[in-house]
Amino acid sequence: NVGGERKEWKARITEQVPDHHIAWRSEGGEFTSGVVSFQPLSPDKARVTVRLNYEPKGVTEKLGDMLGMVSRRVEGDLQRFKDFIESKGHETGAWRGTVR
């Protein structure tokens, strides 16, 4: 939800190197793109960096962005995702191939 309005889009992975980074771009719906990179810190820890590109539309979204609401929403979503992944305790077995 952005500015009280639900936003959805489909995304295509444009580049993936397992244990290094994943990049994506939206297809249809709202335009977004970004990259998630992984930097190993120890055998059981990694630094995860997320760069997200999103352009607010309309007065409500632009005002919300200026007030930091979009950033707080993204940070909250990322924290919930982190908690979810860490609660799994193991890899999901998802496909880990390379996309160039």
Side-chain angles (χ1 to χ4, degrees):
N1 287 311
V2 178
E5 185 178 337
R6 183 176 175 91
K7 301 288 183 171
E8 291 186 18
W9 62 88
K10 291 186 179 185
R12 175 177 300 278
I13 293 174
T14 57
E15 188 171 357
Q16 175 173 303
V17 176
D19 302 320
H20 190 264
H21 70 275
I22 301 170
W24 77 90
R25 181 177 330 122
S26 61
E27 292 186 330
E30 296 292 321
F31 173 78
T32 65
S33 65
V35 64
V36 179
S37 58
F38 308 93
Q39 178 187 10
L41 300 176
S42 70
D44 63 342
K45 290 190 179 203
R47 174 175 291 123
V48 179
T49 304
V50 178
R51 187 177 67 221
L52 174 65
N53 302 307
Y54 165 73
E55 188 64 38
K57 302 258 190 298
V59 175
T60 303
E61 287 184 28
K62 289 179 181 177
L63 179 60
D65 185 43
M66 288 172 34
L67 295 173
M69 296 171 76
V70 174
S71 294
R72 283 192 300 278
R73 177 62 190 245
V74 170
E75 289 171 9
D77 288 347
L78 288 171
Q79 183 62 51
R80 285 184 288 281
F81 183 69
K82 175 184 181 284
D83 295 344
F84 169 74
I85 292 299
E86 289 177 345
S87 74
K88 299 301 257 179
H90 57 82
E91 293 183 18
T92 64
W95 183 74
R96 294 176 42 82
T98 300
V99 175
R100 297 228 183 244

